[in-house]
Amino acid sequence: MWLQPEEVLLKSALRLWVTQRSSGYFVLQRRRGHGEGGGRLTGRLVGALDAVLDSSARVAPFRILLQVPGSQVCSAIACGEWLSGSDVDGAVAAGATLEEVEQHWDWLERNLLHTLPVFDSKEDVASFVKGKVQALIAEESSSRLAAQEEEPEKFREALVKFESRFQLPEAEKLVTYYSCCCWKGRVPRQGWLYLSAHHLCFYSCFLGKELKLVIPWVDIQKLEKTSNVFLTATIRVSTPSKERDFSMFLDLEGALQVMEQLADVTLRRLLDNEGFDLDPPLQEPSQITKRDLEARAQSELFRAVFRLPRRERLHAVRDCALWTPFSRRHTAGRLFASDSYICFASREEGCCQVLLPLREVLSIEKMEDTSLLPSPVIVSVRGQTAFQFIELKDRDALVEALLGRLRRVQAARPAHHSASQGDDRTPLPLQSTSACSDHTFGDLEMVSSQSSEESGEEAPGAVLPMSREEVKISLWKDHFVEYGRTVCMFRTEKIRKLVAMGLPQCLRGRLWLLFSDAITDLASHPGYYGRLVEESLGNCCLATEEIERDLHRSLPEHPAFQTETGIAALRRVLTAYAHRNPRIGYCQSMNILASVLLLYATEEDAFWLLVAVCERMLPDYFNRRVLGAQVDQSVFEELIQEQLPELAERLRDPSALASLSLSWFLTLFLSIMPLESAVHVVDCFFYDGIKVVFQLGLAVLEANAGALCSSRDDSQALVLLSRFLDHIKNEDSPGPPMGSHHAFVSEDQEPPPVTDIGDLIRDSYEKFGHQSVGQIERMRCRHRIRVLQGHEGTTKQNVLRVVSPEVSFPLGDLEELYDLFKREHMLSCYWEQPRPGPARHDPSRPYAEQYRIDSRQFARLFQLVSPWTCGAHTEILAERTFRLLDDNMDHLIEFKAFASCLDTMYNGEMNEKIKLLYRLHVPPALTEDDQDSQSPLKNPLLSTSRPLVFGKANDDASDYKKQLKQMIKDLAKEKAKSETELPQMSQREFIQFCKTLYSMFHEDPEENNLYQAIATVTTLLLQIGEVGQHSSSSSSRSCSQDSGEGPRASAPSPEQDSVFMDTDTGTAPQNTRAFPEEAEGDWTISLEHILASLLTEQSLVNFFEKPLDIKSKLENAKINQYNLKTFEMSSQSLPELKQDSDLLR
């Protein structure tokens, strides 16, 4: 066990301790009298001395000391368990404690010994090691408490520290934490790694210096286990800007797995809402726990091993043993119980698997417990078959839960239909693959027995050797007798060898149904396919249009699809599936797969096989982004580096190989191999899943490794692979060979040697079949992070490519601005309730519109990066800007509009900036219910109770009248044009405009000059509007008199006249309320009036034309974006707390 570091004087310690091992910094010592042959007397004397010196605790017989070179003082950091010396002799005690202390010694050598030389002083070495040991003690204590109770005290303490150190909102759920080191250059920083629902956080305080890291999971591009010069194993966290290495974990693999799961869950929830269905415990990120992540990982592995639907939830896992009659013994393994299945997998992978759908189960019974059969349970299924499980822990509770689920399944099961009925009526080898259905397709079968029958007629009475097809049928007959013929059969290594030989033609369709468990879906949904066909008949949509376009491209060389019968059947299957699953609809390569399925199965069977492939066996393959295929392609590239390193080094550009190998995954080699050979691959795929494509792809590359390494370039390598695949033959196929016609063949090239598909598959199993499903799923999880981030990188580059020509920002600044925009969206997804829907992030939209933000998010970004900060008025200006940019009134804006608006603020000409400000103060940006609660006429600088011209001599005021007359003449033509482009600004809107300008000038170095200038301009503009109003009133009055109306309608009101009082009188009006609505509509000014007036003041021109740099704003925003969001959420929670306190009173 690890000890709290305590100083020990080395000279006095040598009398009672013997040094067994030593290194530059550590010493392993044994207590005298322990572990010595014949040292019983010495051991008793030392034990008695220990009891005298320390009666409260005995001294452990082994310990590890930290010894800094040149120092006589050591620190005890670890010891072996104490065993009483009076009861145990020396040899036994030494063996028991030595094993434990040697484990600690090995850990120190692996993780610390190579690190300590980088420190400059002895004090740094001692401080670092002591801190590390104290962290290990705390983590061990936390682990023990976590095992004892669900919410250990240590976890609560860690949660308090996490919240205080990082100041994230309370909604940020801490999942787990680890003691580790973060490397900063060549120096490790000991601290604590906190893994929360949305962030990876690290805190260290070393020698008085704090280090804080907050890395969102959505920014992590890669998680990998690496090694460096000092340590053998580290976890490298890669983000777009930096790589961080973490090491010295007690359980590095466990920590890496939790990090991968959290990153995978978070990225799929936030970036892949197109195809990710969250488990119920993970629907709410604030409720995620480490236990939920472990349960999810176990459930996903369970579904991947048995290739079950995503809706299946794993309820129980029990160690047990299953009676296997073919081996006449009990096979140790595990029992898995889910919603609709009972499954068994042996401990030795591939030895034995059993899949028991509950709809096939007749009874579950507990048998008498005996010494030979402890805790037995019998599961009886249709077909007079029973499975015996023994050594089940918590048998009673397990059986009770299984019976409850069995009753629910039986209540929902159609009484007239069962997946095993056909097998009970007719032996499977004699059944036809074209069973009756609403739409028969039996003419498309490839019959294999005709040739053998014809050969038998030529020589009646002669004993001819069996053909290969007949040998296969005979072997499968024997196998059915011994291992079962239904979906509940024993799946062993023997059946895998039979499948690798190739399935008999007459059994292929039925065995595909059994291996994929599509037969259970078929039996559970009688008449479902027929209803889908009827409902989808005549529907016209994008999917049906794509289906019609690809129908005649599906195996055009096969006779079955050269007639309308085959084309119609393929149309019905694809259209029915598109109607069933509109989220997938129809994707290319589905037509090739469905056409091959129809060759060996009825329409209904082919439909359910297609469902199994698209929704269970190849998840996320068939959607708009083919994400699943890209993930597996990335996994395949890693396998090439591991299994074929020389070839991987030669193929420097993996994208070149991906252009060919991606079709291997999407079409299961059906599009690049001759059909009779590719069908053999599909046989293995339905039994073993996607691992078959991985191992077969590796076998193909290994068979061509020499030619690929000597090829001139990537294009020649691709030609070599295509020609090789096109010349793979199936010698067992009874029909004529059908090439894929995809190879690049020239007349001057010799055809490559023919390769038998059986030999290639056999080599793939022998050389590359050791990859387990668990390993592949772990690799998928890791590479899914990279692929999703690759899509995000592609989206970002395309957005920048679209937006950059339209703005003047440097590309680096525009990239940082995009990151801030995206992060603002993510912050709302982290903590806001209710969480933003998929409309905020839709990968199906154009690149520039995939991320969108609402008004609150825009207001936060506006406050962070806009140069037009107006103090308390900033929020109001942000709301008006958002309304102006929201063209389609959906209350969301995309990045392009946001960047264009900021570009005008930072890089626009003065007239462009003034035009933007003008548009922000007229509808639709300015509304009647604007949040500016302060009356525009109560502003001290724009009040009607004081003159608007101040600080000027009386003779100077007359100059404004001259300017006014001249300006009206100059702008007459421009005013007429502006009326067609922008609406006129009313007096209420103009005063809001002026208020914004006053707010913008606050805290500017030229604040006083700007205030004086804007006061002058405001007075001038008010007089321009007054002249226009009087002119309009006179015109209106003359028109009214000509039409017989009274003059009362055009008479100015006292309130209106008082605004433009003479500056000499200084008298204020008695009524200071806002202008009446009838007068307000007459007073208007245009954009040209405002622009021309502003140009008369040089200080205002300088203010709007001075160069602005967004870099400082961006740097500040990256630091404060989280703080601003946290402060806002804290402010929102205060009213709730106040309300709760009021209720308590």
Side-chain angles (χ1 to χ4, degrees), residues 419-472:
S420 303
Q421 284 181 0
D423 300 313
D424 294 339
R425 292 195 307 267
T426 309
L428 183 58
L430 301 180
Q431 281 189 315
S432 170
T433 59
S434 58
C436 296
S437 67
D438 295 338
H439 307 280
T440 58
F441 197 38
D443 294 338
L444 301 186
E445 291 184 40
M446 299 176 65
V447 182
S448 61
S449 58
Q450 293 178 355
S451 59
S452 59
E453 292 176 359
E454 293 174 358
S455 62
E457 293 175 357
E458 292 178 1
V463 179
L464 297 177
M466 298 176 63
S467 65
R468 289 191 177 186
E469 188 75 5
E470 292 173 334
V471 171
K472 291 180 184 179

Side-chain angles (χ1 to χ4, degrees), residues 792-943:
E792 289 300 300
T794 301
T795 299
K796 179 178 178 179
Q797 294 303 318
N798 281 282
V799 170
L800 297 181
R801 178 176 53 82
V802 171
V803 177
S804 58
E806 302 184 12
V807 298
S808 301
F809 289 123
L811 188 59
D813 294 345
L814 188 63
E815 185 175 353
E816 291 188 15
L817 192 62
Y818 176 85
D819 292 337
L820 287 173
F821 188 89
K822 176 182 173 182
R823 189 177 300 121
E824 188 62 40
H825 162 79
M826 292 300 174
L827 290 177
S828 299
C829 295
Y830 294 163
W831 304 311
E832 284 189 3
Q833 293 292 345
R835 302 191 184 279
R840 305 287 183 87
H841 175 229
D842 187 0
S844 64
R845 296 177 65 90
Y847 286 112
E849 301 177 8
Q850 288 192 9
Y851 285 104
R852 298 186 291 174
I853 58 176
D854 60 16
S855 58
R856 292 173 57 190
Q857 297 166 328
F858 178 83
R860 287 192 292 268
L861 281 180
F862 189 91
Q863 182 177 349
L864 288 170
V865 298
S866 172
W868 294 352
T869 52
C870 311
H873 195 67
T874 304
E875 183 177 355
I876 299 171
L877 188 63
E879 291 179 2
R880 296 171 184 168
T881 308
F882 181 85
R883 285 195 292 266
L884 178 64
L885 299 178
D886 186 17
D887 295 332
N888 55 0
M889 305 296 290
D890 63 350
H891 307 292
L892 296 171
I893 64 169
E894 66 277 359
F895 176 71
K896 183 178 180 180
F898 175 71
S900 299
C901 178
L902 281 182
D903 183 62
T904 302
M905 296 178 182
Y906 277 96
N907 305 313
E909 300 291 339
M910 178 179 176
N911 60 334
E912 295 175 343
K913 295 179 181 179
I914 299 303
K915 183 177 180 180
L916 176 59
L917 276 172
Y918 185 92
R919 295 180 64 193
L920 292 178
H921 294 82
V922 295
L926 186 67
T927 61
E928 292 294 334
D929 55 348
D930 196 280
Q931 290 190 7
D932 190 2
S933 59
Q934 185 179 8
S935 173
L937 297 182
K938 297 299 183 182
N939 189 284
L941 294 177
L942 293 175
S943 175

Side-chain angles (χ1 to χ4, degrees), residues 1050-1071:
S1050 61
S1053 64
E1055 292 86 348
Q1056 181 180 356
D1057 290 339
S1058 65
V1059 178
F1060 306 104
M1061 57 185 297
D1062 189 271
T1063 57
D1064 296 333
T1065 61
T1067 57
Q1070 299 299 321
N1071 193 344

Side-chain angles (χ1 to χ4, degrees), residues 87-350:
D87 297 331
V88 182
D89 64 30
V92 175
T97 56
L98 185 61
E99 180 180 359
E100 180 190 5
V101 81
E102 283 185 343
Q103 291 179 356
H104 293 330
W105 181 268
D106 293 340
W107 190 92
L108 292 172
E109 285 188 333
R110 290 195 312 270
N111 295 280
L112 293 184
L113 196 57
H114 303 290
T115 306
L116 299 181
V118 303
F119 293 98
D120 297 330
S121 64
K122 302 174 184 178
E123 292 77 10
D124 292 349
V125 172
S127 177
F128 175 76
V129 174
K130 290 179 181 179
K132 183 64 187 175
V133 171
Q134 289 172 347
L136 294 175
I137 294 172
E139 188 168 352
E140 283 185 343
S141 175
S142 174
S143 300
R144 287 193 297 268
L145 286 172
Q148 295 174 2
E149 56 180 346
E150 186 173 355
E151 289 291 337
E153 187 65 28
K154 290 293 182 181
F155 185 85
R156 288 193 287 270
E157 293 178 6
L159 178 60
V160 172
K161 292 180 180 178
F162 169 73
E163 293 175 347
S164 62
R165 288 169 176 171
F166 299 101
Q167 299 295 318
L168 295 175
E170 295 182 1
E172 184 66 13
K173 168 70 174 178
L174 177 64
V175 178
T176 187
Y177 62 100
Y178 298 94
S179 168
C180 67
C181 283
C182 176
W183 288 79
K184 191 174 182 180
R186 298 180 60 184
V187 179
R189 297 291 299 269
Q190 168 63 37
W192 291 92
L193 182 69
Y194 299 90
L195 305 182
S196 66
H198 301 105
H199 298 86
L200 180 151
C201 305
F202 178 81
Y203 177 83
S204 173
C205 184
F206 184 62
L207 300 179
K209 295 182 179 179
E210 282 191 337
L211 173 65
K212 293 183 181 181
L213 297 177
V214 179
I215 305 175
W217 292 118
V218 292
D219 288 351
I220 293 178
Q221 295 182 322
K222 188 186 298 184
L223 288 170
E224 56 185 340
K225 182 180 177 182
T226 62
S227 59
N228 58 26
V229 179
F230 305 102
L231 294 174
T232 57
T234 63
I235 297 177
R236 176 163 295 171
V237 180
S238 302
T239 62
S241 58
K242 201 164 186 178
E243 292 181 345
R244 298 281 186 179
D245 289 338
F246 299 91
S247 62
M248 301 185 192
F249 293 87
L250 276 180
D251 182 11
L252 186 140
E253 287 294 334
L256 178 59
Q257 188 170 4
V258 174
M259 293 166 70
E260 288 175 346
Q261 291 170 0
L262 273 172
D264 180 57
V265 168
T266 305
L267 264 68
R268 294 180 74 182
R269 184 179 68 248
L270 298 178
L271 306 182
D272 187 30
N273 49 30
E274 180 185 6
F276 181 46
D277 298 324
L278 277 174
D279 295 334
L282 304 179
Q283 291 284 359
E284 180 53 52
S286 62
Q287 304 300 323
I288 293 178
T289 64
K290 186 178 179 181
R291 181 176 299 177
D292 293 334
L293 291 174
E294 293 171 351
R296 174 181 178 268
Q298 193 175 39
S299 294
E300 288 197 338
L301 179 59
F302 160 72
R303 290 191 290 265
V305 169
F306 297 99
R307 296 182 294 281
L308 299 178
R310 285 185 176 183
R311 64 177 182 273
E312 280 299 311
R313 292 183 303 160
L314 182 63
H315 294 287
V317 181
R318 297 287 190 274
D319 291 331
C320 66
L322 172 66
W323 174 254
T324 49
F326 53 88
S327 62
R328 298 187 178 182
R329 64 182 178 88
H330 283 91
T331 300
R334 282 186 168 186
L335 179 143
F336 302 85
S338 66
D339 291 335
S340 306
Y341 292 87
I342 299 174
C343 304
F344 174 84
S346 59
R347 290 180 182 173
E348 182 182 353
E349 187 172 0

Side-chain angles (χ1 to χ4, degrees), residues 274-275 532 536 541-550 570-591 593-594 607 610-611 613-615 620-626:
E274 180 185 6
L532 282 180
S536 61
C541 59
L542 179 61
T544 57
E545 293 175 1
E546 294 176 346
I547 290 171
E548 290 297 328
R549 185 176 62 246
D550 289 346
L570 181 59
R571 178 187 293 111
R572 287 191 293 267
V573 171
L574 293 175
T575 306
Y577 184 78
H579 188 71
R580 162 190 164 86
N581 193 342
R583 188 176 66 180
I584 293 178
Y586 170 78
C587 297
Q588 288 187 349
S589 76
M590 287 176 63
N591 59 320
L593 181 60
F607 169 80
L610 185 64
V611 170
V613 172
C614 295
E615 299 177 10
D620 298 331
Y621 265 57
F622 302 97
N623 53 33
R624 190 184 60 86
R625 298 194 293 177
V626 291

